[in-house]
Amino acid sequence: MPLRETRDAALRATVARLAASHPFYRDFWSQVDLSRVRGIDDLPLLPLTTKAMFTADPEAFRLEPDGSPERQLWDVAYTSGSTSAPAPIYQSAYDFHAILFAQVRMAEIRGMRGDDRIANLYPLTPQPHGAWTRANHAAAVLGATVVCGMSGASPWFDVTRRLPEVADLLVATRPTVLWGVPSYVRRVVDEVIRRGGTLPDVRMLAISGEAVTPAMAAQLAELLAAAGAPQVVISNSLGASELQYGLVECVAGAGFHNPVPELLHLDAVDEDGLPVPPGSPGAFVMTHLGRQGTVLVRYLLGDRVEVDHGPCPHCGRLGGRVVAHHGRSSRSLKIKGQLVDTTVLESTVAAVPGVADHRSVVRLRDLHDPLSGDELVVQVAPLPSFSADRVVEAVKLATRVTPAVEVTTADSLFPPDERMKPRRFVDERSESR
């Protein structure tokens, strides 16, 4: 069956299933004529679902169990957003097998192989999170070997490793793939070099969780070359907890491919919820096709993107690609009288040579005077080549705001519950006023 017909049939089955057994959509769609939703083109007939709706009552987004094997609970993962309490995402047995299938497709697209030795450098988190668990599941379904760095934190037991221990583990196990958050991967590789070790077999960095600019990618490649791995593919991906897998590149700059279009639909929409024309940015929406646990339809992920539904010019795949990512929605705010895009601020600091990790904080100059001026502080965990002047110059050029720079340690920048998705910009003014 052609892909379009497969997707249309999957959407019709999903809508019928949700109307009968999904607590949220059964009510949310009560005034919608669902008989008119016959395929993907009819999705705009359904209202958009916001993240606030989901996090307010995540239990209502789980299909009611019906005794079938497809809906039996397999595992639970939690979102990692910093603006609300973690929300559970339920995987049924069907969903988990679909995740394994998606991991196979992701590996095919990005070039990961069964003979790879994967170093899972995602942190262990207090709640189960998709990144750490799914990297292990990917290795299992590929037949690859995996070693877990086990950074992060446990509030109950001493089961994690410090940075020097992770670096020594990688040197001893000689991985071919480093998989994790780019800022932490950079810290680990730098620690390997600092301790006199090498990583000669690394051929790929599989990174997600943070935006990676070309300048950051060049820094990572340069660092790996210094660690003895001169030919490294940097495979970026775009993920979301609600997906439980990632959108990946076939080659750098080709766009983030939907690996399983028969299970997921992606689009960019305008303020009225209608798909935007090709080449135009819009709000990023996703629709699950076939899930049996937590199910989301026309769900706003909170990003602004451009989506191309044509074949990829490099690999020919269909199914939708995110070809441009314009950051999170509503990321601009006034600092010292200037309108600053915090996404630009974050990428600017990350691209400065010598910055191992970072966080930017805007606060009042005088905490006791709510009318005092703003102050932008860039907190940096440095590499040996760090220069505070370079940070000041880069930020001033990008934002027209001159920052103060504070040097600190990487471990002190983020509390344990932010290690998976670091909050790189904090506005403390609302807490003071």
Side-chain angles (χ1 to χ4, degrees), residues 233-307:
V233 173
I234 298 179
S235 178
N236 200 2
S237 66
L238 181 63
S241 299
E242 295 86 347
L243 294 177
Q244 290 298 293
Y245 45 83
L247 315 177
V248 295
E249 297 177 315
C250 59
V251 297
F256 300 103
H257 294 59
N258 174 7
V260 282
E262 58 269 70
L263 300 175
L264 177 72
H265 177 68
L266 305 173
D267 218 335
V269 301
D270 61 20
E271 292 180 355
D272 297 319
L274 300 175
V276 298
S280 300
F284 195 16
V285 295
M286 53 161 271
T287 294
H288 288 138
L289 303 175
R291 271 185 66 97
Q292 305 281 331
T294 294
V295 189
L296 299 162
V297 173
R298 301 206 78 210
Y299 180 74
L300 289 161
L301 285 160
D303 303 85
R304 287 190 60 77
V305 300
E306 295 174 32
V307 176

Side-chain angles (χ1 to χ4, degrees), residues 389-425:
D389 289 342
R390 281 192 287 194
V391 174
V392 171
E393 292 169 4
V395 171
K396 186 176 180 180
L397 179 63
T399 69
R400 293 185 290 180
V401 175
T402 302
V405 177
E406 292 180 357
V407 176
T408 183
T409 64
D411 285 339
S412 67
L413 275 176
F414 306 106
D417 59 350
E418 284 188 37
R419 298 289 168 82
M420 181 56 239
K421 187 177 285 188
R423 193 161 54 126
R424 300 206 175 276
F425 182 84

Side-chain angles (χ1 to χ4, degrees), residues 24-25 28 47-56 61 296-301:
F24 178 82
Y25 289 118
F28 195 45
L48 295 169
T49 303
T50 66
K51 193 177 290 281
M53 293 174 182
F54 171 53
T55 57
F61 284 81
L296 299 162
V297 173
R298 301 206 78 210
Y299 180 74
L300 289 161
L301 285 160

Side-chain angles (χ1 to χ4, degrees), residues 67-361:
S68 66
E70 290 83 1
R71 292 194 199 174
Q72 290 177 346
L73 179 64
W74 187 284
D75 70 17
V76 183
Y78 284 78
T79 60
S80 60
S82 59
T83 58
S84 61
I89 299 170
Y90 295 97
Q91 270 67 241
S92 71
Y94 176 91
D95 300 335
F96 180 72
H97 286 237
I99 289 167
L100 296 178
F101 176 63
Q103 293 289 350
V104 172
R105 287 271 186 85
M106 289 168 60
E108 290 175 355
I109 295 170
R110 71 196 325 177
M112 200 176 291
R113 308 188 302 251
D115 62 352
D116 273 315
R117 300 185 299 277
I118 298 170
N120 178 0
L121 296 178
Y122 287 115
L124 181 70
T125 52
Q127 297 90 8
H129 186 270
W132 186 81
T133 56
R134 301 309 175 213
N136 297 330
H137 295 147
V141 74
L142 292 176
T145 58
V146 62
V147 60
C148 296
M150 292 296 288
S151 64
S154 167
W156 307 288
F157 302 101
D158 183 14
V159 293
T160 57
R161 296 186 181 95
R162 305 284 292 176
L163 181 62
E165 297 173 301
V166 177
D168 290 345
L169 179 66
L170 264 57
V171 171
T173 55
R174 297 177 65 99
T176 61
V177 175
L178 306 183
W179 199 346
V181 178
S183 58
Y184 184 72
V185 171
R186 178 166 55 180
R187 287 177 57 197
V188 172
V189 177
D190 181 68
E191 181 70 9
V192 167
I193 295 170
R194 194 185 69 81
R195 297 172 69 82
T198 60
L199 298 170
D201 297 339
V202 173
R203 68 175 194 86
M204 177 184 291
L205 298 188
I207 48 180
S208 65
E210 295 175 323
V212 177
T213 64
M216 289 177 63
Q219 281 190 38
L220 287 167
E222 182 179 345
L223 199 60
L224 261 298
Q231 301 294 325
V232 176
V233 173
I234 298 179
S235 178
N236 200 2
S237 66
L238 181 63
S241 299
E242 295 86 347
L243 294 177
Q244 290 298 293
Y245 45 83
L247 315 177
V248 295
E249 297 177 315
C250 59
V251 297
F256 300 103
H257 294 59
N258 174 7
V260 282
E262 58 269 70
L263 300 175
L264 177 72
H265 177 68
L266 305 173
D267 218 335
V269 301
D270 61 20
E271 292 180 355
D272 297 319
L274 300 175
V276 298
S280 300
F284 195 16
V285 295
M286 53 161 271
T287 294
H288 288 138
L289 303 175
R291 271 185 66 97
Q292 305 281 331
T294 294
V295 189
L296 299 162
V297 173
R298 301 206 78 210
Y299 180 74
L300 289 161
L301 285 160
D303 303 85
R304 287 190 60 77
V305 300
E306 295 174 32
V307 176
D308 190 324
H309 292 287
C312 173
H314 299 277
C315 68
R317 289 182 180 269
L318 293 167
R321 290 172 295 126
V322 175
V323 295
H325 189 278
H326 297 280
R328 305 290 291 177
S329 300
S330 302
R331 293 295 298 273
S332 296
L333 75 167
K334 285 285 185 73
I335 304 175
K336 298 177 71 173
Q338 297 289 343
L339 189 63
V340 175
D341 185 328
T342 59
T343 301
V344 172
L345 174 61
E346 292 169 19
S347 61
T348 297
V349 177
V352 175
V355 174
D357 218 336
H358 64 96
R359 169 178 282 189
S360 296
V361 179

